[in-house]
Amino acid sequence: MGSLFPLSLLLFLAAAYPGVGCALGRRIKRTQGPKGSPLAPSGTSVPFWVRMSPEFVAVPPGREVWLNCSNSCPQPQNSSLRTRLRQGKTLRGPGWVYYQLLDVRAWSSHAHCLVTCAGKTRWAITRITAYKPPHRVILEPPVLKGRKYTLRCHVTHVFPVGHLVVTLRLGGRVIYSESLERYTHQDLANVTLTYEFPAGPRDFWKPVICHTRLNLEGLVVRNSSAPITLMLAWSPAPTALASVSIAALVGILLAVGSVYLCKCLSMKSQA
């Protein structure tokens, strides 16, 4: 009879709490203890598991987060949440506890839910990421300076900047890419990327696009600017130089023509 008690208890839990029943139907992962060592089933008659939902959550900076810590212990002695984030309300029910986290601004943090049952403590983890995709990605019209085009891309109100990669593409191929991992500020920021590109004949009349990528350890957020066609243009300096050269050539031709005309008139008068 004693050996049937755990099975009957599990069937009772599955009927009373469908979420627990579904969880029991799946493969139960072994969790870790507070010191990081795997926890084998306890020697008591009440083995149990602890889970956090969601296991990963990403929100804009300043938002709140609700985490659900569930367990299979019939009578838990204690349930608590350990995190550096500011905690708000706590809602409790049979086999679960909802924790509220307020004003989440750290780009990466963790929350540990600890449950004690029959003298044994087990825990589960949720990773929280705060991020803000760019409000706008703006590519200025290319400007020709000398023999190079200056491309300037503006990325506004993005966080965290240190996980941002800005890439310039011309006609589908990458002409420049830069990772901004050197920036460690924990605030929303505006970023401007400037690149000088020596365009060749094959590059004209093709679209230029500025792409951004936030890589948040598995969560990737992409944005792009509107495309701008790289037009064939003339730089003001070469144009001015050409104008001066043409004017000088015209002056020389006029001078030579005048001399020739004078000689012709002189020869005609002598004849």
Side-chain angles (χ1 to χ4, degrees):
M1 188 68 180
S3 61
L4 295 177
F5 176 73
L7 177 60
S8 62
L9 177 59
L10 294 177
L11 292 176
F12 171 77
L13 289 174
Y17 313 117
V20 175
C22 294
L24 291 173
R26 298 190 299 265
R27 180 182 178 181
I28 298 177
K29 297 181 179 180
R30 297 173 66 188
T31 58
Q32 292 184 331
K35 295 183 179 180
S37 58
L39 283 172
S42 64
T44 67
S45 60
V46 191
F48 72 103
W49 47 257
V50 178
R51 291 196 182 95
M52 290 283 282
S53 178
E55 295 181 354
F56 171 79
V57 60
V59 296
R63 294 290 182 87
E64 67 177 29
V65 171
W66 283 91
L67 302 178
N68 177 27
C69 179
S70 58
N71 65 85
S72 62
C73 179
Q75 295 180 339
Q77 297 168 295
N78 185 41
S79 178
S80 61
L81 189 73
R82 294 182 182 178
T83 179
R84 295 181 178 179
L85 301 174
R86 185 160 63 94
Q87 299 188 37
K89 298 179 181 178
T90 300
L91 305 177
R92 298 180 181 273
W96 57 267
V97 183
Y98 268 105
Y99 296 100
Q100 182 189 32
L101 302 179
L102 302 173
D103 193 28
V104 178
R105 294 189 179 275
W107 86 264
S108 180
S109 55
H110 296 83
H112 300 71
C113 178
L114 296 92
V115 177
T116 301
C117 180
K120 299 291 183 180
T121 299
R122 296 181 180 177
W123 53 278
I125 306 175
T126 288
R127 185 164 63 89
I128 304 110
T129 290
Y131 79 97
K132 176 67 171 65
H135 177 65
R136 296 185 66 186
V137 179
I138 305 169
L139 179 64
E140 292 185 3
V143 177
L144 184 62
K145 292 183 178 181
R147 297 183 179 180
K148 295 182 178 180
Y149 279 89
T150 298
L151 305 176
R152 184 170 286 109
C153 179
H154 303 281
V155 185
T156 65
H157 293 86
V158 60
F159 175 83
V161 178
H163 291 254
L164 181 70
V165 177
V166 182
T167 302
L168 294 172
R169 291 180 178 269
L170 175 63
R173 65 187 178 94
V174 176
I175 58 176
Y176 184 72
S177 183
E178 182 174 345
S179 174
L180 304 179
E181 58 187 7
R182 63 183 180 277
Y183 292 95
T184 58
H185 300 289
Q186 298 296 313
D187 298 313
L188 289 171
N190 299 324
V191 176
T192 298
L193 176 70
T194 302
Y195 176 66
E196 291 186 347
F197 174 64
R202 65 170 184 159
D203 299 319
F204 298 119
W205 313 113
K206 292 183 179 179
V208 183
I209 304 177
C210 180
H211 295 275
T212 63
R213 185 178 77 251
L214 270 177
N215 191 351
L216 304 172
E217 297 183 0
L219 174 68
V220 179
V221 183
R222 293 181 172 86
N223 293 83
S224 299
S225 69
I228 296 180
T229 301
L230 188 65
M231 306 291 289
L232 178 62
W234 293 99
S235 174
T239 302
L241 180 60
S243 300
V244 172
S245 300
I246 293 174
L249 179 60
V250 170
I252 293 173
L253 292 176
L254 289 174
V256 172
S258 298
V259 172
Y260 179 76
L261 181 60
C262 290
K263 287 184 177 181
C264 289
L265 292 175
S266 176
M267 293 175 63
K268 187 176 182 181
S269 63
Q270 289 178 0

